[in-house]
Amino acid sequence: MKKIITISREYGSGGRLIGKLVAESLGYDFYDKEIIDMAAQESGLSPDFIKKTEQNLSSGFLYNLLLGSSYSGTANGASSINGTQMLPLADQVFNAERKVILDLAKKGNCVIVGRCADYILNTSDEIDSKSLLNVFIYGNLEEKLKRIEDLYKEPEQAAKKTIQQIDKRRANHYNTFTEATWGDRKNYDIMINSSTAGIEETARLISEIAKHQ
């Protein structure tokens, strides 16, 4: 039985809803936007700031060091106190969310959506990999467009642009803060096209796999 399930997903694939249905089926706790409030308490940053910062600032500190970027003053969101350099704000947000995700995983019996949770938990010495199930959910463009049009009343062209922009931000964020590539099959235990089975059946399949692993 897998005690921790992470859900990575393409925008419009229904990944959040699928994750929620999996949690309900297994009697697990479900975490998505709730992580923002927890990270705010951890970091002292406001929930609204963290929400706006997620995936929008993708220049990680170590990544920029490799490129030779300078973090003087407030460049790239970095700050300093009494001349002592602090991490850029994007990194502060990531580190706060990382700690929250690890704490939640240690408790077990949970489904966590997004935020590089698959990589964070897979590379942590504190988490037993045998208790972890990493899932990536994708979908056909037509189905994703229809879902976004129905949910947010966006016309097709606007919905298509939104999908491209959000998936690009998710990929940039993941690729910067991890040593892996977003959507690469090597990072996940399961990759499912939600357009093939539908939302409910996809959730059922994940639940069954989690029960019997």
Side-chain angles (χ1 to χ4, degrees):
M1 182 82 170
K2 299 295 186 180
K3 299 295 185 181
I4 311 156
I5 301 170
T6 72
I7 304 287
S8 303
R9 74 283 186 225
E10 290 182 345
Y11 185 68
S13 66
R16 184 182 188 279
L17 177 55
I18 289 167
K20 194 170 182 62
L21 290 173
V22 170
E24 291 173 356
S25 172
L26 298 175
Y28 284 7
D29 293 323
F30 176 78
Y31 300 103
D32 180 12
K33 296 178 181 178
E34 296 83 357
I35 293 174
I36 293 175
D37 291 331
M38 296 175 186
Q41 293 178 354
E42 175 67 30
S43 64
L45 299 169
S46 74
D48 186 56
F49 176 81
I50 290 177
K51 183 177 180 180
K52 291 178 180 178
T53 301
E54 282 188 333
Q55 299 176 2
N56 288 323
L57 296 175
S58 59
S59 297
F61 181 66
L62 295 177
Y63 176 78
N64 280 274
L65 282 181
L66 291 172
L67 294 180
S69 298
S70 172
Y71 275 90
S72 59
T74 58
N76 295 315
S79 59
S80 62
I81 298 176
N82 297 326
T84 301
Q85 192 62 52
M86 297 176 65
L87 283 176
L89 290 173
D91 295 74
Q92 293 181 42
V93 169
F94 178 80
N95 287 341
E97 292 188 336
R98 178 181 182 278
K99 186 177 186 306
V100 167
I101 288 167
L102 284 169
D103 288 344
L104 294 174
K106 289 174 189 175
K107 296 177 183 177
N109 292 356
C110 61
V111 176
I112 302 174
V113 175
R115 297 171 179 84
C116 306
D118 61 291
Y119 181 86
I120 289 169
L121 300 179
N122 224 17
T123 57
S124 173
D125 294 335
E126 303 175 77
I127 303 299
D128 181 1
S129 61
K130 294 180 181 178
S131 67
L132 180 63
L133 181 68
N134 292 321
V135 181
F136 188 91
I137 298 171
Y138 61 101
N140 299 340
L141 179 59
E142 295 77 12
E143 292 287 332
K144 293 190 292 184
L145 285 172
K146 184 177 186 305
R147 184 169 292 110
I148 292 170
E149 289 170 21
D150 290 344
L151 286 175
Y152 305 111
K153 311 305 178 187
E154 286 192 29
E156 181 176 334
Q157 282 305 113
K160 186 179 294 185
K161 185 175 181 180
T162 299
I163 288 173
Q164 294 171 341
Q165 289 177 336
I166 292 181
D167 280 350
K168 184 176 181 179
R169 288 205 301 267
R170 287 177 178 174
N172 287 342
H173 179 266
Y174 188 96
N175 298 348
T176 296
F177 283 99
T178 77
E179 296 177 342
T181 301
W182 185 76
D184 188 326
R185 62 183 178 81
K186 294 191 296 291
N187 304 329
Y188 313 100
D189 301 300
I190 312 169
M191 299 186 78
I192 301 181
N193 185 341
S194 60
S195 300
T196 300
I199 299 297
E200 290 78 11
E201 182 63 13
T202 298
R204 189 192 69 79
L205 289 170
I206 295 171
S207 299
E208 287 302 310
I209 291 171
K211 288 177 185 176
H212 296 98
Q213 291 292 317

